[in-house]
Amino acid sequence: MSERLSAKTLSYLPQSIEIPLYDRDAVTPGIVHLGVGAFHRAHQAVFIDDCLARGETGWGIVAASLRSADTRDAIEPQDNLYTFSLRDADGEKLRIIGSIVETIVAPEAPETLIDRLSDPAVRLVTLTVTEKGYVTNLASKTLLRDHPDILHDLANPDKPRTIYGFILAATQRRLSEGSLPLTLLSCDNLPSNGRVLQKLLLEYARLAKPELADFIGENIACPCSMVDRIVPATTSLDRETIKAALGVEDAWPVVAEPYFRFVIEDRFPHGRPMLEKSGVEFVADVEPYEHMKLRMLNGAHSAIAAAGQVTGLATVADAWSEPAIRRFIDAYWHAVKQTLSAAVDGEAFAAGLRERFGNPALQHKTMQIASDASQKLPLRVLAPLRELLASKVDSRPLVLAVALWVRSCATIDENGEPITILDPVFNEWDAPDQLRMEPDDVIDRFLGFTRTFGDDLPDNTDFVAELKTAYRHVRDNGALAAVSSFLKP
């Protein structure tokens, strides 16, 4: 067995590999990150690594997983070091990231995570817990009060499971000890993510510790942010090629595209790292940027992922090689651009996305993007769709994206192969058998899935009729033919 990446083996690496040149022993934690995964390690952790290299040594990251031990088990034996790979058609650039100073698995050690969140030196909590981590009905932006994890946290405040339970426990301790309030920075793909986080945290506090609700509302800042970088899941081949380049084994490297954009509302009452020196943008209003990214990048990704699940096209690059898919997404962007603010340039953003989606060096799997799709669709596709319906503007490309998602929830694809649905919320629902039911009956059943569609869309007769027509096109003609025929005037 070859040696592992570690502080000791850094000196073994080829000179072409960028390594941390700062003294990691001098770094102290200033950030706790909730939801450590590939995206955080390819985005926020990279920029904090820049800060540490510039001498801002008080911003080390304590990274906590709220579910799985996989990341901890992979990088803790490596002194929490890992490889960051930037890839495009021109090649690959490798860098070792050292900004994570500790990894915690919250279910194993909830008290430890509360301790770290309560550390007076920690001023910032960042989050990438995905939509489902907010334990909310995304249509109404209200807490799922009967969710088992919420009920558990209300009954067991010293051993929480949710972000709200951990933050509330730490807030109570920090207040009693006279420490500064935390700033909470959501980096998830939610519109107005900071405001949504604060609203849900206040709702939870009123249930669990009503006496803390006013303090939270007045003292805990929750700035909004928009993050944009494509980070595909790491594959076995990625590990093998990176091992060959390093000369040592890295159990969990991350791969990303060179492009990034990180826009943050500049509201940090107790200080923040100087991320602007790494290209992060601090603005007064994030909303125009987050709408553009969520609706144009993430919405198109969801549409492509659904089409890929149905047709067997495994990656975004595979799907993008199909002319019918490209024409469909161009029509999708043309429709969505009409819902964007004049403060952003949707056409220029779309031009960049065309290049990014065609990047052959990124094996961004459609199955990965399709995970938790029932919780992503309301924000990425249905929100702009509602606006187009209200404006009486052509919304057919978005309706077709919904129809493709419905078809992607069947048991088999168009090639007769099983479809893997990585969506716990959807899998708990009694989904209809699309192979046995009439198309219109399938749509009627899906519209009853209120966690995705809410209560308003099923009552919109124009939308329902158009969705049934689009779904019949997909069922009768196949996805690729449908995206061509359905969009014709």
Side-chain angles (χ1 to χ4, degrees):
M1 180 181 294
S2 63
E3 288 196 77
R4 288 278 288 274
L5 176 66
S6 67
K8 183 186 74 172
T9 59
L10 281 178
S11 61
Y12 303 172
L13 303 184
Q15 290 187 351
S16 60
I17 311 298
E18 186 177 350
I19 65 172
L21 297 178
Y22 53 88
D23 181 2
R24 293 185 77 220
D25 291 335
V27 173
T28 55
I31 301 170
V32 172
H33 181 79
L34 303 180
V36 60
F39 186 81
H40 168 70
R41 294 191 297 125
H43 202 267
Q44 296 95 6
V46 175
F47 303 136
I48 295 300
D49 195 64
D50 291 343
C51 293
L52 299 178
R54 289 192 293 263
E56 298 179 63
T57 55
W59 292 107
I61 300 171
V62 175
S65 168
L66 298 181
R67 300 292 178 191
S68 168
D70 291 350
T71 301
R72 189 275 314 274
D73 292 348
I75 71 173
E76 188 177 67
Q78 302 177 174
D79 300 316
N80 293 304
L81 297 167
Y82 63 91
T83 310
F84 172 54
S85 165
L86 283 183
R87 287 185 188 166
D88 60 15
D90 295 328
E92 179 178 55
K93 181 180 179 181
L94 301 180
R95 171 180 172 183
I96 308 302
I97 303 300
S99 54
I100 295 177
V101 297
E102 182 182 11
T103 44
I104 297 171
V105 180
E108 295 179 5
E111 302 92 344
T112 301
L113 180 51
I114 294 172
D115 287 344
R116 300 299 182 267
L117 288 164
S118 304
D119 181 349
V122 169
R123 287 172 279 168
L124 178 59
V125 176
T126 56
L127 303 92
T128 52
V129 295
T130 75
E131 292 89 343
K132 64 184 177 184
Y134 290 82
V135 202
T136 181
N137 181 323
L138 291 170
S140 64
K141 306 285 195 306
T142 55
L143 202 65
L144 296 175
R145 297 188 179 195
D146 59 350
H147 191 283
D149 289 346
I150 295 294
L151 296 175
H152 171 275
D153 284 9
L154 292 172
N156 303 276
D158 296 331
K159 295 184 178 180
R161 293 176 181 169
T162 70
I163 56 175
Y164 312 112
F166 281 110
I167 293 168
L168 197 66
T171 297
Q172 184 172 29
R173 187 184 299 181
R174 294 176 75 94
L175 181 60
S176 68
E177 295 176 353
S179 301
L180 290 171
L182 294 163
T183 295
L184 311 177
L185 177 63
S186 170
C187 300
D188 283 298
N189 283 321
L190 298 171
S192 303
N193 49 17
R195 288 189 286 277
V196 170
L197 172 59
Q198 185 172 52
K199 177 181 183 294
L200 295 170
L201 178 60
L202 283 169
E203 184 179 350
Y204 179 81
R206 292 187 183 105
L207 296 174
K209 293 284 182 182
E211 66 274 16
L212 282 182
D214 288 344
F215 175 84
I216 290 170
E218 295 170 4
N219 294 279
I220 292 187
C222 299
C224 295
S225 73
M226 184 282 288
V227 294
D228 185 1
R229 169 169 264 164
I230 295 173
V231 183
T234 303
T235 67
S236 298
L237 180 59
D238 294 330
R239 290 182 174 88
E240 291 172 8
T241 57
I242 289 171
K243 176 182 176 181
L246 298 180
V248 297
E249 181 180 357
D250 182 348
W252 210 331
V254 291
V255 177
E257 63 173 342
Y259 176 91
F260 79 87
R261 195 165 193 182
F262 196 5
V263 183
I264 305 175
E265 181 185 6
D266 200 359
R267 192 157 56 91
F268 294 80
H270 307 299
R272 60 169 176 80
M274 297 179 70
L275 297 168
E276 61 268 36
K277 292 188 176 181
S278 294
V280 176
E281 301 166 70
F282 286 91
V283 300
D285 184 10
V286 173
E287 185 175 271
Y289 303 92
E290 70 184 14
H291 275 193
M292 181 171 67
K293 186 257 180 175
L294 192 67
R295 296 177 175 196
M296 295 195 70
L297 169 61
N298 298 121
H301 257 169
S302 290
I304 290 170
Q309 290 279 83
V310 173
T311 59
L313 294 166
T315 70
V316 172
D318 291 340
W320 198 245
S321 69
E322 292 286 344
I325 297 284
R326 294 199 299 274
R327 288 193 298 271
F328 165 45
I329 297 302
D330 277 339
Y332 185 97
W333 284 331
H334 178 76
V336 166
K337 279 187 296 185
Q338 299 172 80
T339 73
L340 302 181
S341 164
V344 295
D345 188 342
E347 184 54 49
F349 190 62
L353 289 176
R354 291 183 184 98
E355 293 186 16
R356 296 168 68 189
F357 286 0
N359 184 351
L362 288 185
Q363 295 298 302
H364 200 186
K365 295 189 180 298
T366 51
M367 184 173 69
Q368 176 194 354
I369 299 169
S371 65
D372 299 315
S374 68
Q375 300 301 284
K376 295 173 178 175
L377 208 70
L379 303 172
R380 300 179 174 193
V381 179
L382 298 182
L385 175 58
R386 284 181 169 92
E387 294 179 22
L388 294 173
L389 290 170
S391 302
K392 304 297 183 182
V393 175
D394 184 10
S395 59
R396 287 179 301 157
L398 281 72
V399 174
L400 181 54
V402 178
L404 287 167
W405 171 69
V406 171
R407 174 62 182 87
S408 75
C409 295
T411 54
I412 60 173
D413 66 17
E414 293 174 352
N415 305 310
E417 298 296 326
I419 295 176
T420 301
I421 301 176
L422 303 175
D423 188 340
V425 172
F426 178 81
N427 289 334
E428 290 173 0
W429 182 57
D430 184 20
D433 185 344
Q434 297 191 44
L435 300 181
R436 296 178 181 271
M437 293 178 64
E438 291 298 316
D440 286 4
D441 295 335
V442 170
I443 295 302
D444 287 336
R445 281 286 303 280
F446 265 81
L447 290 173
F449 188 38
T450 57
R451 287 284 297 274
T452 294
F453 289 101
D455 298 319
D456 59 324
L457 286 175
D459 291 334
N460 188 312
T461 54
D462 291 340
F463 165 70
V464 172
E466 205 156 71
L467 180 59
K468 288 181 176 180
T469 299
Y471 179 70
R472 284 196 298 272
H473 272 270
V474 175
R475 276 270 299 260
D476 295 346
N477 305 314
L480 294 181
V483 299
S484 296
S485 61
F486 180 70
L487 295 176
K488 289 179 180 177

